Amino acid sequence: MYAFNYHRPKSLADAAKLLGDASDGKFIAGGQTLLPTLKNRLASPSDLVDLTGIAELSGISVSGGIVSIGAITKHGAVATSADIRKAIPALANLAGLIGDPAVRNMGTMGGSVANNDPAADYPSAVLGLNATMHTTKRKIAADSFFTGLFETALEESEIITRIEFPVPKRAGYEKFRNPASRYAMVGVFVAETADGVRVAVTGAGPCVFRHKEMEAALSKSFSPDALKGIRTDPARMNNDIHGSGEYRAHLVGVVAKRAVQNALG
Amino acid sequence: MTNQGIGQPVRRKEDFRFITGQGHYTDDINRPGQLYAYFLRSPHAFAKIKSISTDAARKMPGVVAIYTGKDVAADKVGGLICGWTVKDKKGEPHKAPRHDIIAIDHVRHVGDQVAVVIGRSLGEARDAAEAIEVDYDVLTPVVDVVNALKPGAPEVHADAPGNLCYDWDFGDKAATEAAFAKAAHVTKIDLVNNRLSPNPMEPRSAIGEYEPGTDNTTVYTTSQNPHVIRLILCAFVFGLPEHKVRVIAPDVGGGFGSKIFNYAEETVCVWAARKLKKPVKWTSDRTEAFLTDAHGRDHVTHAELAMDKDGKFLGFRVDTKANMGAYLSTFASAVPTYLYALLLAGQYTTPAIYAEVKAVFTNTTPVDAYRGAGRPEATYVVERIVEAAARELKMDPAELRRRNFVPDNAFPYQTPVACVYDSGQYAKALDEALKMADYNGFKQRKAEAAKKGKLRGIGLCAYIEACGIAPSAVVGSLGAGVGLWESAQIRFNATGSVFVHTGSHSHGQGHETTFAQIVSDRLGVPLESVEVVHGDTALVPMGMGTYGSRSLAVGGSAIMRAADKIIDKGKKIAAHLMEASVDDVAYDKGVFSVKGTDKQVPMAQIAFTAYVPHNYPADLEPGLEASAFYDPANFTFPAGVHVAEVEIDSATGVTRVANWVAVDDFGKVINPMIVEGQVHGGIAQGIGQALLEGVVYDPKSGQLLTASFNDYCMPRADDLPSYKVGMIETPCPHNPLGVKGCGEAGAIAAPAALMNAITDALGTEKINMPATPQNVWNVIQSQNLAAAAE
Ligand SMILES: Cc1cc2nc3c(=O)[nH]c(=O)nc-3n(C[C@H](O)[C@H](O)[C@H](O)COP(=O)(O)OP(=O)(O)OC[C@H]3O[C@@H](n4cnc5c(N)ncnc54)[C@H](O)[C@@H]3O)c2cc1C
């Protein structure tokens, strides 16, 4: 780690100002991605602005068919929230599959979504459920939020404040873990929403994506069998020592069927 | 007291401090005025160092000194040594190119030391290291044995032409060829034994300290054998007298072999501390551990087994290429030779065996002993080919083994590869294991699995290992630079409590409990009154350390010898107190008595009398203490049978270990709970090797692709089944405890058992470890098994 200045503001306005004043500042939430990066000296911010002291970034509420989750909500809190478990059980289950208890007790939803790791779990739920990111500047729909490998629509000093998930008719998540890191090698989130069936795939490619062919097939018949014969292009998949493009493309099919099965209960 | 003695599942004495976070490890130690070492390491697998500029770095805050290989050379510090000289086919000694503690002109693997910064804080030292400018001439590396042996391959060392460390053979070539000539059936197999990273929980750490007033040097280090480190540092590296150097290995958090060796880092700390007259500390981070802790395994092997028409083994030949990495580590040369080829008879009566081994330099981290060291590699070859042979012969693999076992009445049994197996009951272990595994019910379980789209397989492994290393004269004749005895000292206090000083070193094995049980049992002292002392050359007079499952068989035997000496002296004191002749004094479990009378004296009174000798034999020295050395007469030969059963998800290639049975013969068991724990840990490592773990280098750049736990897959609890563990006790006939050793068995047996189960499920031998989901799925695709299962 290199030396940096540490700030823990109480308001969003202060946070934005601190970041603006810093020569090369960065927000930190749970630190579960940022801290390992700093420890390996892969980043050297001048200032860290800690978001976890800002009250308005916390809290879970369910009303009017919307689950609203504050950005600094820990993965563990999502996994164990009775309200979320009732409204969108697949989302609570997904949170319970992230990392290990230590990671779930530190890492935050806002941090995970802002980071957009290609192997992270939350992006698939955000995209699959057609969630909306509320930020200090605007609202961003899931379909235009994740823009590429570790890239999002967020601007430099923009903070995700909360994420709103419309409650679906039903949804399911299935995760095929990378055996070593246990991040998603392939994770598929399927949901039957008010605007139709959505299938979001994480881990497999450089960025979470919607599988349109699967969505079309499942719109006709929401069953695992409906996905039979649907292929995914290996050329668009990641390729590393844990899984070739072919293997990942194959897994997308298997994992998607299991996600549908999970949604059907 | 009876519930604390030999054979009792006593809870480990040491666990209180470990479980409550009160262990005291090397990194917990801080010395007054301590400085910190940070190593600048090579980012390249192979490069010539054109120049190193430290000018800017030296001006950075907190920097005390920066040293490069040239500074080390100027002080005439010796390189790191290999302590076992293997002679090749022609009788020539192996090639052991110079291994400098800081590289001088070339770097030969990613992570090789290029410079060291000694700073007032670790952060400052690290900052300065980033300001060092190194101009490299990057060379093309070679990382695997097959490519390294090809003509025209890059040469890692100029003085090891063709990257060959040695071309060695063992066994009777002519007899083996004759056996193949008359064979009715020959089974052939090609195997890769994957390279592993040891990953002890505690990374390596060291502090060097020098006191100019006394000229004494102290080394705190994460070592499995502090006396061996002292010997190497003094006699070979620095030319210091042994009595002026003290090596302390306090609590050590696992080693698995990787902490046997003398490494560059602790050596640099000692050198720098003596130069600067200040303590110098270094602690590895996890990335450095992946880059620099000696790796294990990494063999490529072709083997052939000749049989008669009934499946009787006639001959066995093995051709192995073993990766040594960039330099020869401390005992690296012995692992693929004497710890490997001598075990190729397995549990069988194969009359003719011939092995050829080429040891090869590559631009990778050095490879040396790792839990099992050579014996897992041998077992893997023997047990994979035996299972494959049974399949080819359409014979029950259990029956093929039974037909070839060394029979119970054949011990001591001379194998064609030098070992004399001392005792065993191989068929009994097999029968017991098959029963525990419900072997006969497997067909039905397979059919049920198939209905769920799962491929089920079962695999056996009948392993043998040589432990309790070793008779000094034998290993000396094979090239070892050391004797492999062990020493012990038992010292009573006046009030009846006891110190036991052992040259063995506990880094997870539970010696503080097991050794105390032996002393408690033999000398009749309560367990809590026995303190086992180890890991400090100033407190323990002599020792050879812990590896090769030797501590109980060799170190425990030394303790037994010392206890006998205590009893002998106690008899003299007891005879005096009871006014009897020494010949009439009997001893049993802490009580001396006069035969045929009811007179008796307990051990505690003997101890008190020895130190308060008011009423005492005139010709006897006061005090009650005894030292003993033990040099074993033979290796010990633990053996057993493991049965693995797997279920493979044909859609994903994921293997679930559905059942595991281990029936082991470790001879006499002192603490069954600790032994079972060792078996569990060993199997976990073996399953790790077979299913999950594997060091991967980029073949072009030589970069280590598995340099963190994000990519190097360690087994987790939910990867592992619950084990069914059974024991058979055939006492070792040649040591006083009848013990054989249990530390490595699981890691030796598990890979072959598991791969035999996987290859059974897949119907092909053509899959290498680790059988990751991707590898298994690739086989399933090529075999079209997914469709078959659906
Ligand atoms: C051992 C381990 C295992 C893990 N396993 C998994 C896994 O299985 N699946 C998975 O999905 N993840 C996994 N993670 C990652 C974990 O979920 C992280 O917590 C998460 O990715 C980042 O959240 P954080 O709160 O820790 O963010 P931080 O590390 O604090 O920040 C990450 C980035 O997001 C930015 N940021 C944070 N909050 C906001 C905000 N509100 N608005 C805008 N920008 C923000 C920061 O500036 C930074 O760039 C694992 C992590 C570890 C250490």
Side-chain angles (χ1 to χ4, degrees), chain A residues 118 127 146-149 185-186 199-215 230-240 243-250 252:
Chain A
L127 193 59
F146 302 106
T147 53
L149 182 75
M185 188 135 100
V186 171
V199 177
V201 181
T202 189
C207 180
V208 63
F209 65 91
R210 284 175 64 186
H211 205 302
K212 294 283 165 67
E213 248 183 293
M214 287 186 176
E215 291 180 355
I230 296 181
R231 305 243 162 252
T232 307
D233 182 4
R236 289 182 48 213
M237 301 287 99
N238 296 333
N239 184 355
D240 57 32
S244 63
E246 286 77 26
Y247 183 48
R248 279 191 163 86
H250 165 78
V252 170

Side-chain angles (χ1 to χ4, degrees), chain A residues 26-36 49 51-52 57 71-73 75 94 97-100 103-104 106-117 119-123 154-155 158-161 175 177 181-184, chain B residues 710 716:
Chain A
K26 232 176 163 19
F27 296 123
I28 183 165
Q32 295 303 289
T33 293
L34 194 49
L35 282 177
V49 180
L51 301 178
T52 58
L57 296 182
I72 59 170
T73 306
H75 309 333
L94 174 148
L97 294 171
I98 298 174
D100 51 47
V103 170
R104 292 197 290 276
M106 290 299 291
T108 68
M109 180 179 277
S112 176
V113 172
N115 191 53
N116 192 20
D117 187 311
D121 294 287
Y122 273 138
L154 288 174
E155 286 164 16
E158 193 170 6
I159 299 172
I160 301 178
T161 53
K175 175 178 187 177
R177 289 181 158 118
S181 72
R182 298 220 165 170
Y183 275 73
Chain B
N710 257 341
R716 291 158 165 101

Side-chain angles (χ1 to χ4, degrees), chain B residues 641-661:
Chain B
V641 172
H642 286 217
V643 185
E645 209 166 312
V646 300
E647 218 167 78
I648 296 172
D649 179 347
S650 53
T652 58
V654 170
T655 301
R656 184 177 68 89
V657 183
N659 196 20
W660 200 284
V661 169

Side-chain angles (χ1 to χ4, degrees), chain B residues 363-489:
Chain B
N363 295 108
T364 61
T365 300
V367 180
D368 205 326
Y370 170 70
R371 201 169 191 171
R375 294 153 291 164
E377 295 91 317
T379 298
Y380 190 62
V381 177
V382 174
E383 289 302 295
R384 282 289 308 270
I385 203 167
V386 166
E387 196 96 2
R391 287 168 190 164
E392 286 180 7
L393 295 171
K394 306 225 176 325
M395 204 192 253
D396 173 7
E399 176 51 29
L400 181 65
R401 287 183 170 86
R402 203 176 275 118
R403 208 169 275 190
N404 287 284
F405 277 155
V406 174
D408 293 359
N409 61 9
F411 295 96
Y413 179 80
Q414 173 71 62
T415 73
V417 276
C419 289
V420 180
Y421 295 168
D422 55 5
S423 67
Q425 302 179 71
Y426 302 154
K428 187 176 172 189
L430 178 65
D431 293 342
E432 180 71 22
L434 296 181
K435 201 165 70 196
M436 283 168 68
D438 184 22
Y439 191 65
N440 294 331
F442 173 71
K443 279 217 169 74
Q444 199 188 330
R445 294 195 292 278
K446 187 176 173 77
E448 277 162 20
K451 281 186 216 151
K452 296 179 288 173
K454 300 273 162 71
L455 304 165
R456 196 156 176 125
I458 194 164
L460 306 182
C461 174
Y463 74 94
I464 190 158
E465 52 167 333
C467 294
I469 54 174
S472 296
V474 173
V475 294
S477 73
L478 301 178
V482 290
L484 287 169
W485 42 263
E486 196 46 85
S487 94
Q489 191 182 51

Side-chain angles (χ1 to χ4, degrees), chain B residues 129-476:
Chain B
E130 286 175 6
I132 298 175
E133 287 164 33
V134 187
D135 191 4
Y136 292 104
D137 193 354
V138 179
L139 305 170
T140 305
V142 62
V143 299
D144 69 291
V145 286
V146 174
N147 283 313
L149 286 174
K150 282 186 184 152
E155 278 182 354
V156 180
H157 296 278
D159 48 352
N163 295 316
L164 199 59
C165 175
Y166 52 74
D167 180 5
W168 176 89
D169 66 350
F170 201 73
D172 190 333
K173 186 176 187 182
T176 307
E177 273 169 13
F180 275 85
K182 65 176 186 209
H185 185 82
V186 173
T187 294
K188 301 178 180 179
I189 201 162
D190 286 291
L191 298 170
V192 173
N193 205 295
N194 45 330
R195 179 186 277 242
L196 303 176
S197 174
N199 293 326
M201 206 181 282
E202 178 209 21
R204 287 189 295 120
S205 179
I207 305 172
E209 183 167 6
Y210 178 65
E211 294 169 47
T214 56
D215 194 32
N216 285 335
T217 300
T218 303
V219 190
Y220 301 85
T221 182
T222 47
S223 173
Q224 303 178 208
N225 31 239
H227 293 85
V228 176
I229 294 300
R230 184 181 64 172
L231 177 69
I232 296 175
L233 288 179
C234 289
F236 298 96
V237 181
F238 293 118
L240 289 170
E242 267 185 282
H243 68 292
K244 301 304 281 178
V245 175
R246 174 181 182 185
V247 178
I248 301 172
D251 282 335
V252 173
F256 312 115
S258 69
K259 291 173 183 167
I260 298 172
F261 321 122
N262 175 212
Y263 288 92
E265 292 85 358
E266 74 242 14
T267 312
V268 168
C269 285
V270 172
W271 173 69
R274 289 176 57 85
K275 244 179 137 57
L276 298 167
K277 301 186 175 37
K278 284 267 174 66
V280 175
K281 180 179 194 172
W282 169 79
T283 299
S284 170
D285 65 27
R286 193 49 78 178
T287 308
E288 284 182 294
F290 277 106
L291 290 172
T292 64
D293 288 4
H295 291 168
R297 320 280 191 253
D298 204 344
H299 286 194
V300 175
T301 295
H302 175 77
E304 302 186 352
L305 178 64
M307 288 158 280
D308 73 8
K309 62 176 186 1
D310 302 319
K312 249 329 223 183
F313 303 158
L314 302 175
F316 185 35
R317 62 187 171 211
V318 174
D319 181 280
T320 292
K321 295 169 184 71
N323 198 338
M324 295 286 99
Y327 306 98
L328 269 192
S329 173
T330 314
F331 290 109
S333 55
V335 177
T337 50
Y338 296 108
L339 297 177
Y340 172 67
L342 275 67
L343 277 304
L344 288 172
Q347 299 188 0
Y348 312 111
T349 56
T350 319
I353 298 175
Y354 179 65
E356 289 181 285
V357 179
K358 288 191 179 72
V360 184
F361 291 112
T362 61
N363 295 108
T364 61
T365 300
V367 180
D368 205 326
Y370 170 70
R371 201 169 191 171
R375 294 153 291 164
E377 295 91 317
T379 298
Y380 190 62
V381 177
V382 174
E383 289 302 295
R384 282 289 308 270
I385 203 167
V386 166
E387 196 96 2
R391 287 168 190 164
E392 286 180 7
L393 295 171
K394 306 225 176 325
M395 204 192 253
D396 173 7
E399 176 51 29
L400 181 65
R401 287 183 170 86
R402 203 176 275 118
R403 208 169 275 190
N404 287 284
F405 277 155
V406 174
D408 293 359
N409 61 9
F411 295 96
Y413 179 80
Q414 173 71 62
T415 73
V417 276
C419 289
V420 180
Y421 295 168
D422 55 5
S423 67
Q425 302 179 71
Y426 302 154
K428 187 176 172 189
L430 178 65
D431 293 342
E432 180 71 22
L434 296 181
K435 201 165 70 196
M436 283 168 68
D438 184 22
Y439 191 65
N440 294 331
F442 173 71
K443 279 217 169 74
Q444 199 188 330
R445 294 195 292 278
K446 187 176 173 77
E448 277 162 20
K451 281 186 216 151
K452 296 179 288 173
K454 300 273 162 71
L455 304 165
R456 196 156 176 125
I458 194 164
L460 306 182
C461 174
Y463 74 94
I464 190 158
E465 52 167 333
C467 294
I469 54 174
S472 296
V474 173
V475 294

Side-chain angles (χ1 to χ4, degrees), chain B residues 27 109 111 250 306 338 365 396 443 551 627 759:
Chain B
D27 192 53
H109 67 91
Y338 296 108
T365 300
D396 173 7
K443 279 217 169 74
S551 297
S627 298
T759 52

Side-chain angles (χ1 to χ4, degrees), chain A residues 1-2 39-41 176-183 240-244 246-247 250-251 254 258, chain B residues 123 126-127 130 287 649 651-654 696 705-706 709-713 716 718-719 773-774 777:
Chain A
M1 225 178 247
Y2 297 103
K39 282 186 176 176
N40 283 321
R41 295 192 156 193
F176 187 92
R177 289 181 158 118
N178 174 312
S181 72
R182 298 220 165 170
Y183 275 73
D240 57 32
I241 59 171
H242 305 286
S244 63
E246 286 77 26
Y247 183 48
H250 165 78
L251 282 179
V254 177
R258 291 179 185 179
Chain B
R126 192 173 176 180
D127 288 346
E130 286 175 6
T287 308
D649 179 347
T652 58
V654 170
V696 182
L705 300 180
T706 49
F709 290 127
N710 257 341
D711 288 305
Y712 188 89
C713 185
R716 291 158 165 101
D718 64 0
D719 291 315
Q774 163 167 251
W777 181 77

